[in-house]
Amino acid sequence: MRKPTASKDEPKRSNRIRPVAELVPDVGRVAFRKFGFVQSAVISRWSEIVGERYAGVSAPESIRFPHGQRANGVLTLVVQGAHAPMMQHIAPEIMERVNRFFGYPAVARLTIRQGEVARAPRPAPLPEPAPVPPEMGESLRAIADPELRAVLEGLAAGVAMPVLKLGKID
């Protein structure tokens, strides 16, 4: 009896639970390539590439490369109405930042299309953690690194929070 073989297109199974964030790049890769993006990170990290000020009024739409090449492409941006002249003025800086992000001269030209830019909703503020119990706080004060101490205090506060008990499900 022959053992069934997995096709080459079928991904390997890892037999472990994977977070959704780990799966999204694989799922979105085909759609992003269809619309001209070789890396979905350009869209997801747009605010890091150009800064919060410009990311609030613009969004990358596509990158089109000459046939058979992955350099000297044309980046198309969607920009909110009155901000288009400002974006045209800083186009060389945007191209430089995108090329620095890619690590090679991927973009040689920038085109701007006026339109509506969907703004990402701001996340709800996190509730204030409960105060750290005194017996836990004394041991944390000896930690010299302030960032590590803040993280551990947050963890201690989370541990000290009362557990919500839900009613019995019938």
Side-chain angles (χ1 to χ4, degrees):
M1 189 174 209
R2 279 189 348 172
K3 193 179 201 181
T5 59
S7 70
K8 292 181 182 178
D9 296 335
E10 189 175 319
K12 282 186 160 181
R13 295 181 183 261
S14 63
N15 293 332
R16 66 178 176 90
I17 297 173
R18 293 172 34 185
V20 174
E22 189 176 306
L23 301 172
V24 169
D26 294 335
V27 172
R29 186 173 294 123
V30 173
F32 282 120
R33 281 193 180 151
K34 180 179 177 184
F35 292 103
F37 283 98
V38 291
Q39 286 187 343
S40 58
V42 172
I43 293 176
S44 62
R45 296 177 61 188
W46 183 244
S47 61
E48 293 176 36
I49 295 171
V50 297
E52 290 293 328
R53 178 180 179 191
Y54 301 128
V57 296
S58 68
E61 186 175 64
S62 67
I63 299 177
R64 303 285 179 204
F65 295 105
H67 186 70
Q69 295 182 8
R70 287 292 178 208
N72 300 323
V74 178
L75 172 65
T76 303
L77 294 180
V78 177
V79 179
Q80 287 181 343
H83 297 281
M86 174 189 65
M87 296 300 279
Q88 189 75 34
H89 181 71
I90 62 164
E93 183 180 346
I94 292 173
M95 289 187 304
E96 177 188 336
R97 288 180 180 192
V98 171
N99 288 337
R100 192 177 325 135
F101 175 76
F102 277 109
Y104 67 95
V107 176
R109 201 172 56 139
L110 185 82
T111 59
I112 294 175
R113 184 179 69 82
Q114 289 186 348
E116 286 299 315
V117 176
R119 293 186 182 203
R122 290 188 175 202
L126 296 174
E128 288 293 320
V132 179
E135 62 273 3
M136 288 185 176
E138 289 302 319
S139 62
L140 295 176
R141 286 187 181 80
I143 297 173
D145 185 13
E147 188 175 342
L148 177 61
R149 184 174 50 243
V151 169
L152 290 175
E153 285 176 352
L155 179 63
V159 170
M161 288 179 74
V163 178
L164 295 175
K165 292 190 178 188
L166 300 176
K168 187 175 181 181
I169 298 175
D170 293 323

